[in-house]
Amino acid sequence: QAQLVESGGGLVQTGESLKLSCTASGFTFSGYALGWFRQAPGKKREFVAGISATGRSTDYSDFGEGRFTISRDSVKNTIYLQMNSLKPEDTAVYYCTAAYASRVNREGENDYWGQGIQVTVSS
């Protein structure tokens, strides 16, 4: 049974950093593209960042480019999202996702999802 478990969320101040982790199990990690989405209260879920199955290619949203970094560790079956210079508008539930494809689908049509983890940035 495929499972994605996020960790590392919490409450930070504006300008601080946070690193999210997502550990996968139950499927062949190396064969899947992985990524992060987020959903703020009252808003639609949106793409944050993605990384290819090989880890050689990454993809970022406009708001994440330059501030966020996605990476993957194939030994630990884990992906990470390093978030720097956080802003209050980054407050959301962050979701990990996996897709049996060259990259995750930005519209959210992916194969597996984690339960999400809260990130709150105070001003």
Side-chain angles (χ1 to χ4, degrees):
Q1 180 178 350
Q3 192 172 18
L4 296 168
V5 179
E6 300 96 340
S7 61
L11 172 65
V12 296
Q13 306 266 352
T14 296
E16 293 185 341
S17 298
L18 203 59
K19 187 174 185 178
L20 303 182
S21 301
C22 171
T23 300
S25 61
F27 62 95
T28 305
F29 183 80
S30 60
Y32 282 71
L34 291 115
W36 294 92
F37 281 68
R38 72 184 187 185
Q39 187 167 21
K43 295 189 176 181
K44 293 175 60 175
R45 187 168 57 185
E46 61 181 352
F47 171 78
V48 177
I51 188 165
S52 64
T54 62
R56 296 194 188 105
S57 176
T58 56
D59 190 20
Y60 296 94
S61 61
D62 288 343
F63 60 79
E65 188 75 52
R67 294 193 300 132
F68 296 174
T69 302
I70 189 170
S71 60
R72 64 190 289 161
D73 184 333
S74 295
V75 173
K76 296 181 178 180
N77 281 8
T78 299
I79 65 165
Y80 305 95
L81 184 68
Q82 176 68 47
M83 302 185 291
N84 299 327
S85 303
L86 284 163
K87 308 172 182 179
E89 50 263 43
D90 293 317
T91 295
V93 177
Y94 283 71
Y95 297 90
C96 178
T97 189
Y100 189 62
S102 59
R103 59 179 61 191
V104 297
N105 184 289
R106 282 183 172 233
E107 301 306 312
E109 295 180 2
N110 299 304
D111 295 295
Y112 306 125
W113 291 88
Q115 292 189 323
I117 193 161
Q118 179 69 45
V119 171
T120 303
V121 184
S122 64
S123 57

